[in-house]
Amino acid sequence: MSAARRGASLRQAQWQPHVLALNAPAGYLPWLTEAGSLTARLKAHSDNFRVQCLHQRTARCLSDEAAVIGLHHAGRVWEREVLLRCDNTPAVFAHTVVPTSATAADWPLFSALGERSLGSTLFGDPLVRRGVLEFARLREGHPLAQRARAALVESGAAAVDAPILYARRCLYRRRQGTLLVTEVFLPAVLELIKTNDNLR
Ligand SMILES: C=C(O[C@@H]1C=C(C(=O)O)C=C[C@H]1O)C(=O)O
């Protein structure tokens, strides 16, 4: 394989619907396959849950996101990236993209989320339709793996030396809008212990 092709393969992810195909360590499976709100699950596994908003701004979406959210090419989107912290330890890096053509009627609360969980606006809204979960192994060259690792270091958390990060993504629809959420699970999630039934 040429160096260029190898580089490209390290930057890409093979998203697919079968979680077992990831060969992820068993501890990740309950997190990857969580059918409800990830926020609710993280809250149930910590005494203090926080959404650290890294940014919410316009950006160009990743090449493997465009078609999923209905764009013909990797165009401009609203991009939100956060660290989900459990007892101040980052457990998940989340990346959400919404086409800039979306209107406030599509996602009325998205633009003003701040450090409120996106999940709190998606789950419980009867107009929101959730798609199927897709899963992938993110190698070190994947943009989201790089951003997750950089966010950890910038936030003062310990760097992650695991070569592969396990991720899932899900498309949400509401009226004419599309919204793609990608959640990258950090190894610290394996250390979380269910502490309460806080499923609010
Ligand atoms: C979709 C959810 O929202 C969570 C919160 C996010 C945010 O605030 O940006 C992003 C991804 C999710 O992990 C959820 O709780 O399931």
Side-chain angles (χ1 to χ4, degrees), residues 70-87:
L71 297 182
H72 297 301
H73 63 279
R76 304 296 290 178
V77 295
W78 288 105
E79 177 184 89
R80 172 181 168 88
E81 294 187 345
V82 303
L83 281 177
L84 303 182
R85 289 176 169 263
C86 293
D87 303 322

Side-chain angles (χ1 to χ4, degrees), residues 36-39 51 80 82 84 94 96 116-119 122-123 172 181 183:
S37 165
L38 186 60
T39 295
V51 176
R80 172 181 168 88
V82 303
L84 303 182
T96 302
R116 283 183 300 156
S117 166
L118 172 62
L122 295 178
F123 289 83
Y172 294 82
V181 179
E183 293 151 329

